């Protein structure tokens, strides 16, 4: 393994791990707030228990996310010093604002966790709302910094000559910022909603605390389904932005080699980078031109227009994009079925609960695949068109050693999270589990 590959692998692993905690920090507070509001409105203790459970789980994820986020901050300086020397003065403001939002989130999460009997109900609910806003803002500021790497603006100078002028607001609100923040925020709420719904569906199938897990499932599924149904809109906004500002990334996402009008949308397929063609794909005529530009006859630039040394790894980007879209479509279908049951005020049958359990990880898989598209699709650039990844890496040798060390750290943190969640959040459920035969379970037998 080369030092460049080790550095990239370490950064990819760190981002893939940390993003799990980031999306929980964005979306779980919404579930907490909904449960707390229902408790205050109805007076039912079950909603109070839900709010407390979800807040404890959020606190665990928040604490471990703080550790993994700190590791990422060090890695930026240790692994990519040339990048930080150039980009630090430009994207320093969104990172500083992210730290401010992070501390706000920590403060109000503490109030929500420990202030129930010490502050008024209104203040307690407001603290949950502030956790929601601060957590989402924290992620949004980081996304603005990442978006700048895709569409760098707000400065004069170059990596070689140095930065001679910075407009921090223009850099933060770069052309990619809106679409990236919108798409990722919607994805976070959809994925966390589905993950939590799947957990509570599994508890219902086991016959555990039906009076608790049934309303929990309703809240989580409502959030997950709503944002899953909105996700195609945000995806369309993101796709049109990529088509305009990063046509090579769009071409890699689609395995699109030749510039043409009325370009087809490719489903499945495997890009052959040597032969410069995508094999075994199913083509939908004109659809790519329509999705990218709103015109079925519009021209879509192909990969052959770019030098080989400026193309990203096409197969990786194309497959990751297909996985992201596939997971999203399944989530939309599951959400649609749930919406039909809700509209008809029908109980969720056992087969649908099983479907929710199977669908629970799809949102997280889609997010990981989407970030692969975003980051690998920009290669070989760490800052699009300005600074290559190979030129930004540290000259320090033997980078495989910290890669292996941090891999061990993340394994330890992952095990810690699982143990803490089982002991703090799900311990009572494990004691109350009631095994039973589901072989002939019907919708009428599902907990009501």
């Amino acid at each position: 393994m080369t030092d460049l590959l080790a550095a990239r692998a370490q950064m990819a692993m760190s981002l893939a791990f940390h993003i799990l905690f980031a999306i929980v920090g964005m979306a779980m507070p919404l579930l907490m707030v909904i449960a707390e509001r229902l408790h205050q409105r109805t007076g039912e203790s079950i909603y109070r228990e839900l709010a407390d459970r979800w807040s404890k789980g959020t606190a665990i994820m928040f604490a471990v996310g703080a550790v993994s986020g700190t590791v990422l901050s060090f890695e930026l300086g240790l692994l990519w010093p040339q990048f930080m020397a150039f980009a630090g003065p430009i994207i320093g403001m969104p990172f500083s604002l992210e730290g401010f939002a992070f501390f706000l989130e920590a403060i109000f999460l503490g109030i929500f966790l420990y202030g129930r009997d010490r502050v008024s109900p209104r203040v307690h609910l407001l603290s949950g709302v502030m956790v929601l806003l601060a957590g989402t803002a924290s992620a949004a500021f980081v996304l603005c910094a990442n978006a700048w790497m895709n569409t760098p603006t707000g400065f004069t100078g170059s990596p070689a000559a140095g930065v001679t002028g910075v407009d921090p607001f223009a850099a933060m609100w770069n052309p990619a910022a809106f679409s990236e923040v919108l798409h990722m925020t919607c994805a976070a709420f959809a994925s966390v909603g589905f993950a939590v719904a799947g957990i509570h569906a599994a508890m219902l199938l086991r016959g555990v605390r039906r009076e608790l897990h049934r309303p929990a499932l309703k809240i989580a599924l409502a959030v997950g389904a709503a944002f899953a149904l909105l996700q195609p809109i945000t995806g369309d906004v993101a796709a049109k932005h990529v088509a305009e500002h990063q046509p090579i990334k769009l071409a890699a996402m689609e395995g699109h080699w030749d510039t043409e009008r009325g370009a087809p949308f490719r489903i499945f397929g495997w890009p052959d980078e040597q032969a410069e063609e995508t094999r075994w794909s199913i083509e939908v005529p004109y659809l790519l031109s329509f999705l990218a530009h709103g015109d079925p006859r519009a021209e879509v630039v192909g990969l052959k227009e770019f030098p080989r040394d400026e193309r990203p790894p096409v197969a990786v980007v194309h497959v990751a994009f297909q996985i992201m879209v596939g997971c999203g479509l399944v989530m939309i279908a599951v959400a649609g079925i749930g919406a039909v049951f809700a509209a008809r005020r029908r109980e969720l049958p056992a087969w649908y609960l099983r479907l929710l359990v199977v669908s629970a990880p799809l949102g997280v898989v889609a997010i990981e695949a989407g970030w692969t598209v975003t980051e690998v699709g920009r290669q070989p650039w760490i800052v699009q068109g300005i600074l290559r990844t190979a030129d930004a890496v540290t000259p320090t040798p033997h980078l495989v050693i910290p890669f292996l060390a941090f891999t061990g750290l993340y394994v330890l943190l992952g095990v810690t999270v699982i143990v803490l969640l089982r002991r703090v959040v799900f311990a009572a459920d494990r004691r109350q589990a009631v095994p039973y035969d589901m072989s002939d379970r019907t919708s009428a037998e599902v907990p009501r």
Side-chain angles (χ1 to χ4, degrees), residues 18 71 113 146 221 334 383:
H18 179 69
V71 170
L113 283 168
N146 179 266
L221 183 57
V334 175
V383 180

Side-chain angles (χ1 to χ4, degrees), residues 241-305:
H241 163 80
V242 171
E244 179 180 356
H245 293 276
Q246 293 180 290
I248 188 172
K249 180 185 287 187
L250 178 70
M253 289 161 57
E254 275 299 307
H256 183 69
W257 297 94
D258 296 298
T259 299
E260 60 181 310
R261 294 186 177 275
F265 183 90
R266 291 174 177 82
I267 304 172
F268 306 122
W270 182 261
D272 185 334
E273 298 185 48
Q274 295 301 317
E276 297 186 323
E277 63 178 343
T278 299
R279 305 179 188 274
W280 312 302
S281 64
I282 301 171
E283 296 187 354
V284 182
Y286 305 105
L287 185 57
L288 180 58
S289 290
F290 178 75
L291 292 175
H293 301 288
D295 179 0
R297 296 286 183 179
E299 182 179 88
V300 178
V301 178
L303 286 160
K304 292 180 181 179
E305 298 293 327

Side-chain angles (χ1 to χ4, degrees), residues 139-163:
F141 289 129
V142 174
L143 289 167
C144 286
N146 179 266
W148 178 85
M149 298 164 68
N150 291 314
T151 53
T153 54
F155 70 98
T156 56
S158 67
V163 177

Side-chain angles (χ1 to χ4, degrees), residues 115-316:
R116 180 181 292 281
D117 300 321
R118 295 175 174 83
V119 298
S120 68
R122 180 175 296 180
V123 171
H124 189 253
L125 180 64
L126 178 62
S127 67
V129 173
M130 289 302 299
V131 175
L132 169 64
L133 296 177
T136 304
S138 177
F141 289 129
V142 174
L143 289 167
C144 286
N146 179 266
W148 178 85
M149 298 164 68
N150 291 314
T151 53
T153 54
F155 70 98
T156 56
S158 67
V163 177
T164 57
V166 176
D167 182 343
F169 291 100
M172 188 165 69
W173 303 120
N174 58 82
F178 174 75
S179 62
E180 194 165 318
V181 170
L182 180 67
H183 192 53
M184 181 59 197
T185 301
C186 192
F189 282 91
S191 62
V192 171
F194 263 80
V196 175
I199 292 171
H200 291 289
M203 293 299 180
L204 285 175
L205 288 169
R206 293 175 60 194
V208 179
R209 296 289 308 280
R210 300 174 184 181
E211 75 284 357
L212 172 73
H213 293 292
R214 185 174 179 273
L217 172 60
K218 283 187 174 182
I219 295 170
L221 183 57
V223 170
F227 283 95
L229 293 171
L230 287 173
Q231 192 68 337
I233 300 174
T234 68
D236 181 67
V237 173
K240 286 179 168 55
H241 163 80
V242 171
E244 179 180 356
H245 293 276
Q246 293 180 290
I248 188 172
K249 180 185 287 187
L250 178 70
M253 289 161 57
E254 275 299 307
H256 183 69
W257 297 94
D258 296 298
T259 299
E260 60 181 310
R261 294 186 177 275
F265 183 90
R266 291 174 177 82
I267 304 172
F268 306 122
W270 182 261
D272 185 334
E273 298 185 48
Q274 295 301 317
E276 297 186 323
E277 63 178 343
T278 299
R279 305 179 188 274
W280 312 302
S281 64
I282 301 171
E283 296 187 354
V284 182
Y286 305 105
L287 185 57
L288 180 58
S289 290
F290 178 75
L291 292 175
H293 301 288
D295 179 0
R297 296 286 183 179
E299 182 179 88
V300 178
V301 178
L303 286 160
K304 292 180 181 179
E305 298 293 327
F306 303 93
R308 285 181 178 267
D309 66 345
E310 293 185 8
R311 299 175 190 172
V314 182
V316 175

Side-chain angles (χ1 to χ4, degrees), residues 46-62:
I46 203 69
Y47 291 118
R48 171 173 173 158
E49 183 179 351
L50 265 181
D52 290 343
R53 278 198 182 205
W54 282 342
S55 62
K56 290 177 182 177
T58 301
I60 292 170
M61 300 293 280
F62 177 85

